[in-house]
């Protein structure tokens, strides 16, 4: 079984993942409302991935005979300014999630909890990919600007996400 303090930390991480899912879903709804359907579809899949992350943590807690305690999900923002602003916010959010994972990893190290560290390796890899994926979109928007042709291309590309 995990220590009480590790259980609390993982429960907080579960909450962060659900909050991320809700934020991405809100961004997706916003993009639907402005007819940016490629962005909307990409963000919806991103939201589903975040739910997957929360579920992975929940399964780990259950496998460790630990107590999952769900917490309140916060009301996400509804409007996001420009698409660049929105994706910058998504990137910042991913960086915060990465920091939270690194803290968890550090805590597991202090507790000499090798099993949790080993489990968290997957999340560390995943965060690298998440930051890269969102960062690439931010970079394209920053470099090329939000012209109609740029938005058309990025929207099309994001809509192709499997
Ligand atoms: Fe769960 O990785 Fe994004 O936030």
């Amino acid at each position: 079984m995990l220590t009480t303090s590790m259980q609390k930390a993982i429960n907080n991480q579960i909450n962060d993942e659900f909050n991320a899912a809700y934020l991405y879903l809100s961004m997706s709804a916003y993009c639907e409302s402005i007819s940016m359907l490629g962005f909307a579809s990409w963000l919806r899949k991103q939201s589903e991935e975040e739910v997957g992350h929360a579920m992975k943590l929940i399964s780990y807690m259950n496998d460790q005979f630990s107590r999952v305690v769900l917490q309140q999900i916060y009301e996400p923002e509804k409007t996001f300014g420009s698409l660049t602003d929105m994706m910058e916010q998504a990137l910042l959010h991913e960086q915060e999630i990465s920091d939270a994972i690194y803290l968890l990893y550090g805590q597991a190290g202090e507790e000499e909890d090798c099993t949790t560290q080993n489990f968290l390796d997957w999340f560390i890899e995943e965060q690298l990919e998440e930051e890269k994926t969102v960062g690439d979109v931010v970079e394209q928007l920053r470099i090329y600007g939000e012209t109609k042709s740029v938005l058309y291309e990025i929207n099309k590309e994001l809509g192709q996400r499997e």
Side-chain angles (χ1 to χ4, degrees):
M1 190 192 266
L2 301 169
T3 63
T4 306
S5 124
M6 182 55 74
Q7 290 185 45
K8 190 165 184 276
I10 295 180
N11 274 319
N12 288 341
Q13 189 62 38
I14 290 168
N15 187 249
D16 281 351
E17 302 291 348
F18 279 126
N19 275 312
Y22 224 42
L23 176 65
Y24 282 128
L25 200 52
S26 183
M27 287 177 174
S28 173
Y30 173 66
C31 289
E32 283 275 345
S33 78
I34 58 170
S35 299
M36 282 290 162
L37 303 184
F39 277 87
S41 160
W42 186 89
L43 287 158
R44 190 177 170 127
K45 286 176 183 144
Q46 191 68 19
S47 173
E48 287 165 1
E49 273 205 5
E50 300 301 347
V51 172
H53 297 168
M55 294 305 182
K56 200 172 175 75
L57 289 160
I58 287 172
S59 296
Y60 180 67
M61 288 276 274
N62 289 335
D63 289 348
Q64 290 277 13
F65 304 98
S66 297
R67 178 75 167 100
V68 171
V69 180
L70 297 179
Q71 302 166 27
Q72 181 176 357
I73 309 275
Y74 293 104
E75 183 177 331
E77 287 179 46
K78 298 176 192 67
T79 54
F80 299 93
S82 70
L83 290 167
T84 309
D85 291 342
M86 185 190 73
M87 293 307 290
E88 280 176 345
Q89 191 178 333
L91 179 58
L92 187 66
H93 186 77
E94 286 304 331
Q95 289 163 342
E96 285 169 0
I97 293 273
S98 298
D99 287 345
I101 296 285
Y102 303 151
L103 279 176
L104 263 184
Y105 193 87
Q107 181 177 338
E110 279 164 24
E111 295 185 13
E112 298 181 357
D113 178 353
C114 305
T115 313
T116 299
Q117 278 200 317
N118 186 49
F119 167 73
L120 289 172
D121 282 344
W122 182 90
F123 280 86
I124 290 170
E125 284 275 322
E126 177 73 1
Q127 280 312 120
L128 184 67
E129 193 189 307
E130 298 257 284
E131 283 191 38
K132 162 95 177 103
T133 312
V134 180
D136 280 348
V137 180
V138 169
E139 204 162 71
Q140 285 183 58
L141 287 166
R142 279 183 189 153
I143 292 172
Y144 302 113
E146 292 194 25
T147 63
K148 280 187 183 165
S149 58
V150 168
L151 287 181
Y152 175 80
E153 283 303 327
I154 296 179
N155 191 55
K156 192 169 80 173
E157 196 183 309
L158 291 179
Q160 287 164 354
R161 178 178 180 177
E162 300 279 307

